[in-house]
Amino acid sequence: MPVPIAATKLLRSLILAGVALTALPAVAQQAPAASPAALRPDQAAFRDLYRELVETDTSITTGSCTALADKVEVRLRKAGFGDGDITRFAVAGHEKEGGLVVVLPGTSKTLKPLLLLGHLDVVVAKREDWTRDPYTLIEENGYFFGRGTSDMKPLDAIWIDMLGTFKRDKVKLGRTIKLALTCGEETSWAFNGVRWLAENKPDLIAAEFALNEGGGGRTDGKGTVVQQNFHVGEKVVANYRIEATNPGGHSSVPIRDNAIYELSDALGRLRDYDFPLMLNDTTRAYFGRLGASRKDEIGQAMRTIVTAPAGSAEAKAAEVTLNTDRSFHSMLRTTCVATLLDGGHANNALPQRAGANVNCRIFPGVSFETVQKTLQDVIADPKLTVTKVDDRGPLPIPPKLTPQILGPAEKLVAKYYPGVPLVPMMSTGATDGIYLEAIGIPSYGPPGLYGDPDGNGAHGLNERAIVKAVYTGRDFLTELVKAYAQ
């Protein structure tokens, strides 16, 4: 699933799509952060943990989550956790995709545990495409650069640091706190640690609720935090293959009936298509509350989109305005986008086959079959096939945002970000929270961290996180977990 973090994933909720960032106008506008030498001892230790996480490649192609889990276990054992507190897991054939669960017992006999969830894996990063080495933590102009600096190793580091500190300092908490660090969130086809735990070790991770990625806040692009989000629910992910086939032939006698051209025409029609606008309780609350805090054109459009009759001229005008922001555009509908291409079999032959993977983020309540039918209608070419390849299932179950969950977060947002609204938000990305919700554990993405409106390069080039956000988020989330644990 979205905030720096994600969204989500951690901030994937607002910032899922990656952006190539060779020039960073926002960087110059960021207030300088404290140099590593000026950090408090506890912050310096945290930074070293964060560095180790970022500098350990955990991508599915060249990395290993198991290797990073080994390093995390060493740190937690030094903090005082023993064999009875740490459970390692991996399955045959996926030895590099292992994870761990750590349990810090509480003092209460009645309070149910709190589960902290984090995925260790990251999206693949190619050194030749990046301005900097993606697997070296580099601090420049108020930002940390590196793969995973935003999605979601800041939150992983905060969870690990927090449990280590609680254990080392013998902090007494009412609730038992569990930490699950897993692999497979960034792939729909590989081993998924949370799914495996939910299906095979549900008692190990059993909890009253979970804190996951997907929440966090957003700046105005100039360093000022303008909102904090509480991730409540998410879209569901499915991949479809669009394929054109043809008898082919010799390239010296070309014809218009060409599989690559037909696929290209189909993808052009998909590019120009917008799925219809949809709203649910979470997005209505999101646009209504955030709109009330803004006095600009976007704020007016937010208020209008939840108050104007559906299909009215006012609603349509508000939609046009909101669609100028990529995050809001995605939050208002199902989206489908081409992500992979293949085609042809020889450089001197007409293509016999051409295909594309289309990645869809489906609005809650819309079926896989409905999206498949829509893709067929948009392509409008019976010679092409549309097939669902996979989905992340199970379908998400939106949790309820109760006063017990919302209250402590509201108090801390007022403390750390005075005047900044806290709004419930549906993630436009995807998290592993769906597997927890399927076994009765509501999953939330808390506020605390924050990122820029351009997405901070999550899933894309030159991924970055705001230095100040990482340190502030650490303090915020430590207080929040303490409040929940009491």
Side-chain angles (χ1 to χ4, degrees):
M1 85 181 357
V3 223
I5 201 141
T8 27
K9 265 181 125 236
L10 240 85
L11 278 192
R12 267 185 318 190
S13 43
L14 284 174
I15 61 173
L16 184 66
V19 182
L21 300 169
T22 54
L24 295 170
V27 171
Q29 296 166 330
Q30 276 294 326
S35 67
L39 297 175
R40 302 189 312 259
D42 65 295
Q43 291 176 323
F46 169 77
R47 188 186 191 280
D48 183 66
L49 167 63
Y50 181 41
R51 175 200 57 76
E52 184 171 58
L53 266 61
V54 172
E55 295 188 355
T56 304
D57 180 358
T58 50
S59 66
I60 190 66
T61 54
T62 57
S64 170
C65 289
T66 302
L68 183 52
D70 290 342
K71 297 175 183 179
V72 172
E73 181 178 354
V74 169
R75 287 178 176 268
L76 290 173
R77 286 186 178 276
K78 287 181 178 179
F81 287 95
D83 292 343
D85 306 315
I86 300 173
T87 302
R88 296 294 301 271
F89 63 92
V91 300
H94 297 280
E95 289 79 8
K96 291 186 177 182
E97 297 160 60
L100 76 164
V101 177
V102 186
V103 178
L104 179 68
T107 60
S108 174
K109 301 294 185 182
T110 57
L111 290 174
K112 294 182 179 179
L114 163 63
L115 174 65
L116 308 177
L117 181 64
H119 67 80
L120 297 176
D121 57 317
V122 295
V123 172
V124 175
K126 296 182 178 180
R127 176 65 186 92
E128 61 269 24
D129 296 336
W130 282 56
T131 304
R132 307 162 189 82
D133 180 356
Y135 296 113
T136 298
L137 183 68
I138 297 173
E139 185 174 343
E140 292 180 6
N141 299 318
Y143 285 88
F144 289 120
F145 288 88
R147 176 55 90 216
T149 51
S150 176
D151 183 12
M152 65 166 287
K153 288 182 175 177
L155 191 53
D156 291 337
I158 289 169
W159 293 156
I160 298 163
D161 171 77
M162 185 188 302
L163 252 66
T165 299
F166 290 165
K167 184 70 172 181
R168 187 171 48 251
D169 294 348
K170 297 181 172 58
V171 176
K172 299 297 183 183
L173 301 170
R175 287 186 195 274
T176 290
I177 300 179
K178 301 179 179 182
L179 169 62
L181 297 173
T182 65
C183 202
E185 198 277 344
E186 297 293 8
T187 53
S188 58
W189 46 267
F191 170 76
N192 184 286
V194 181
R195 187 170 199 166
W196 185 87
L197 288 169
E199 294 174 353
N200 295 276
K201 298 284 187 179
D203 291 343
L204 180 61
I205 58 172
E208 184 172 344
F209 62 97
L211 298 183
N212 186 19
E213 63 177 339
R218 177 172 174 169
T219 75
D220 59 359
K222 301 177 181 179
T224 299
V225 179
V226 295
Q227 67 189 76
Q228 280 287 342
N229 307 308
F230 217 127
H231 168 217
V232 187
E234 60 193 66
K235 290 182 173 181
V236 65
V237 180
N239 289 291
Y240 297 84
R241 178 173 174 80
I242 301 175
E243 186 172 86
T245 56
N246 193 282
H250 203 289
S251 63
S252 65
V253 284
I255 55 176
R256 293 181 62 84
D257 185 16
N258 182 301
I260 290 177
Y261 295 160
E262 290 169 351
L263 178 65
S264 177
D265 290 342
L267 295 179
R269 288 190 283 273
L270 177 60
R271 174 198 60 202
D272 295 334
Y273 177 76
D274 262 349
F275 282 77
L277 181 146
M278 299 184 72
L279 292 167
N280 60 17
D281 290 345
T282 299
T283 57
R284 286 182 183 278
Y286 175 84
F287 287 113
R289 294 185 187 182
L290 191 57
S293 72
R294 298 181 60 152
K295 307 304 179 185
D296 57 3
E297 183 183 17
I298 290 286
Q300 178 60 55
M302 288 177 170
R303 297 190 294 273
T304 300
I305 205 70
V306 297
T307 58
S312 65
E314 293 83 359
K316 290 179 179 179
E319 179 185 355
V320 169
T321 299
L322 293 175
N323 283 348
T324 62
D325 183 293
R326 60 193 298 184
S327 301
F328 302 151
H329 173 271
S330 180
M331 207 177 298
L332 287 168
R333 57 184 43 80
T334 293
T335 62
C336 291
V337 60
T339 55
L340 294 170
L341 282 172
D342 61 84
H345 59 285
N347 60 11
N348 59 353
L350 299 176
Q352 295 169 188
R353 190 180 304 274
N357 184 82
V358 174
N359 180 263
C360 296
R361 308 297 173 124
I362 303 171
F363 201 92
V366 178
S367 70
F368 297 129
E369 294 75 19
T370 296
V371 174
Q372 183 173 352
K373 177 63 165 55
T374 300
L375 292 174
Q376 291 169 334
D377 292 343
V378 171
I379 290 167
D381 187 341
K383 291 184 291 184
L384 274 64
T385 60
V386 179
T387 307
K388 184 164 78 73
V389 178
D390 60 30
D391 62 70
R392 293 194 82 239
L395 295 177
I397 303 172
K400 295 181 179 180
L401 192 55
T402 64
Q404 174 197 20
I405 300 295
L406 186 60
E410 287 179 323
K411 291 179 181 178
L412 288 172
V413 168
K415 173 182 176 180
Y416 282 86
Y417 305 103
V420 173
L422 175 62
V423 293
M425 183 192 67
M426 179 192 73
S427 172
T428 60
T431 78
D432 282 333
I434 56 174
Y435 305 116
L436 299 179
E437 289 154 5
I439 60 171
I441 304 174
S443 176
Y444 304 92
L449 290 156
Y450 58 88
D452 293 320
D454 66 0
N456 289 84
H459 285 214
L461 293 178
N462 305 314
E463 184 179 349
R464 72 193 195 277
I466 301 169
V467 173
K468 185 178 180 181
V470 174
Y471 291 124
T472 304
R474 171 180 176 249
D475 295 339
F476 180 105
L477 288 164
T478 300
E479 283 200 54
L480 183 64
V481 169
K482 281 184 177 180
Y484 287 148
Q486 300 299 356

